[in-house]
Amino acid sequence: MKEHVPITMKDIAQALGVSVATVSRALNDSPRISAERKEAIKAYAREHNFAPNMLAESLRHSRTHPVHIIGVIMPQINHFYFSSILSGIEEEASAHGYQLMVAQSGELYEREVRICQSFYKSKVCGIIVSQAKDTTRYGHFQQLMDNGVPLVFFDRICTGVDSSRVVVDDYMGALTAVNHLIDTGCRRIAFYSSPMKMEITKNRYNGYLDALRRHGISVDERYIRLCDNRTDAELITPELLRMPDRPDGFFAVNDDTAIGILYTAKRMGLHVPDDVSICGFTNGERAIACDPMLTTVEQRGKVVGEEAANILIGKVEGFIPMEKVEKRVVRTRLIVRGTTR
């Protein structure tokens, strides 16, 4: 991305020994900056071909009505949770006169980088994003922030940059779910997780561990598997269910994985929940389309989307300072159905 953006506000700030906020104010003729400093910053910006995000700046400092466009990057749009978040973003954005430009990364880092470049060229006023599983480098996000483009992360937050975010209480959701499994008689509980590099996985894993420890149940590493989709669940689960001390409960990182466990257990002649209990995490439409219906943690995706859009619009319109890192947590709740006792 650097080859497309010669210099950033952060670069100017470092070169002149001032803050990014001072650079932003100077470039926008803020009366809080002296005329001498303002001219020095503007001269440096001109000399180094600085190209600000003009749409974002015009929205923050104008009451005219240009096209208000928010960029949204999702790992996959056809997933119930992400589509419900998109619905929340769209409703909140529409209520404030904004339109969306939506793209999906397909869980690929390189595609995510290209989308960020495209959104920057399109002069979106800000970006709402859930990072791809494949992302381990964060320069493309930092470049956007250095150029004054507000970012708000949701669900899969980026720990590599200090940006606003909206998350669900993954830890408490997992803790509550596993507590429920234990309270209903389970003692050998398996955990199917996403990659541990993601914060949501770490938080759900810690909730799982703490629930076991609080009940004096030792952690058995054989029951902990990297598995976050139905296809893999149907491949992995038979091995666990054939163990002499097979799991009597499963906690899955999402509903699709939990449903894969459910159908595998049924194919193997086990009764759910009498022989094995299963709990998911999402509460999507598929949770009530399976038999028995799935006990799961509700993530309230629409609320997540509304909160993310609210933060971004607040930053664009000046109600929330650009430099403020806004962190909001949406509470989960356990929906008990037929796959647990």
Side-chain angles (χ1 to χ4, degrees):
M1 189 167 180
K2 288 185 177 180
E3 65 270 25
H4 300 290
V5 186
I7 193 170
T8 70
M9 283 197 283
K10 184 177 180 181
D11 295 329
I12 298 172
Q14 290 177 339
L16 300 180
V18 297
S19 68
V20 173
T22 297
V23 173
S24 178
R25 293 186 186 111
L27 295 175
N28 288 285
D29 288 316
S30 170
R32 297 170 60 181
I33 308 298
S34 69
E36 183 180 359
R37 173 162 287 182
K38 194 182 298 184
E39 182 51 39
I41 291 171
K42 287 184 175 181
Y44 189 92
R46 285 194 300 270
E47 290 169 10
H48 293 81
N49 300 315
F50 173 68
N53 186 319
M54 298 307 296
L55 178 55
E57 294 302 317
S58 70
L59 283 171
R60 280 195 286 274
H61 303 286
S62 172
R63 288 292 175 253
T64 59
H65 299 282
V67 178
H68 297 46
I69 301 177
I70 295 172
V72 181
I73 306 175
M74 297 194 155
Q76 47 187 316
I77 297 172
N78 62 350
H79 189 288
F80 174 83
Y81 180 53
F82 290 126
S83 65
S84 63
I85 291 173
L86 184 59
S87 176
I89 294 172
E90 198 282 329
E91 286 195 16
E92 185 73 9
S94 179
H96 289 82
Y98 288 73
Q99 297 178 17
L100 303 184
M101 184 180 293
V102 183
Q104 57 181 354
S105 67
E107 303 287 14
L108 299 173
Y109 164 77
E110 294 294 345
R111 184 182 296 177
E112 186 177 80
V113 172
R114 290 196 298 271
I115 293 168
C116 286
Q117 293 171 348
S118 175
F119 279 0
Y120 185 81
K121 290 177 183 177
S122 299
K123 304 298 182 185
V124 297
C125 60
I127 296 174
I128 299 173
V129 56
S130 180
Q131 73 175 46
K133 287 181 190 176
D134 203 27
T135 297
T136 56
R137 302 190 301 278
Y138 313 112
H140 53 305
F141 294 138
Q142 190 63 57
Q143 280 289 103
L144 290 166
M145 294 176 63
D146 291 347
N147 279 285
V149 181
L151 290 186
V152 179
F153 286 88
F154 67 89
D155 189 50
R156 302 180 193 167
I157 63 173
C158 177
T159 57
V161 297
D162 195 20
S163 182
S164 297
R165 73 280 308 268
V166 181
V167 296
V168 300
D169 195 342
D170 292 294
Y171 170 83
M172 187 55 65
L175 183 72
T176 301
V178 180
N179 277 338
H180 170 68
L181 290 170
I182 295 169
D183 290 343
T184 53
C186 298
R187 289 297 179 269
R188 300 181 303 279
I189 302 171
F191 174 52
Y192 282 11
S193 80
S194 297
M196 284 293 175
K197 64 186 178 184
M198 297 194 299
E199 286 300 303
I200 61 169
T201 309
K202 294 175 185 176
N203 291 333
R204 292 176 196 179
Y205 179 58
N206 287 332
Y208 163 79
L209 293 180
D210 284 352
L212 296 181
R213 289 165 178 161
R214 289 183 187 187
H215 289 83
I217 299 173
S218 60
V219 178
D220 191 330
E221 296 293 337
R222 297 176 303 161
Y223 299 153
I224 300 171
R225 300 298 176 96
L226 176 59
C227 178
D228 62 1
N229 60 76
R230 177 171 178 170
T231 299
D232 288 346
E234 293 187 10
L235 290 173
I236 291 171
T237 304
E239 176 192 345
L240 273 70
L241 291 180
R242 292 189 186 108
M243 294 168 61
D245 51 350
R246 71 182 182 219
D248 55 8
F250 285 82
F251 172 53
V253 74
N254 58 47
D255 284 357
D256 282 349
T257 303
I259 291 169
I261 298 167
L262 169 62
Y263 279 93
T264 300
K266 290 172 68 175
R267 280 199 304 271
M268 294 179 68
L270 297 175
H271 297 283
V272 179
D274 296 336
D275 297 324
V276 59
S277 292
I278 303 164
C279 182
F281 206 113
T282 303
N283 196 34
E285 294 175 348
R286 296 176 186 175
I288 58 173
C290 54
D291 181 26
M293 291 191 288
L294 185 67
T295 292
T296 186
V297 178
E298 184 177 48
Q299 289 181 278
R300 302 174 65 206
K302 188 175 180 182
V303 177
V304 171
E306 290 169 348
E307 292 288 342
N310 179 267
I311 294 172
L312 188 67
I313 292 167
K315 284 181 175 288
V316 170
E317 298 189 352
F319 302 115
I320 299 175
M322 283 291 289
E323 61 273 16
K324 182 180 180 183
V325 176
E326 189 84 1
K327 299 178 181 179
R328 298 184 188 176
V329 179
V330 175
R331 292 184 179 180
T332 59
R333 63 172 181 158
L334 182 67
I335 308 297
V336 179
R337 297 194 182 100
T339 58
T340 56
R341 304 181 194 114

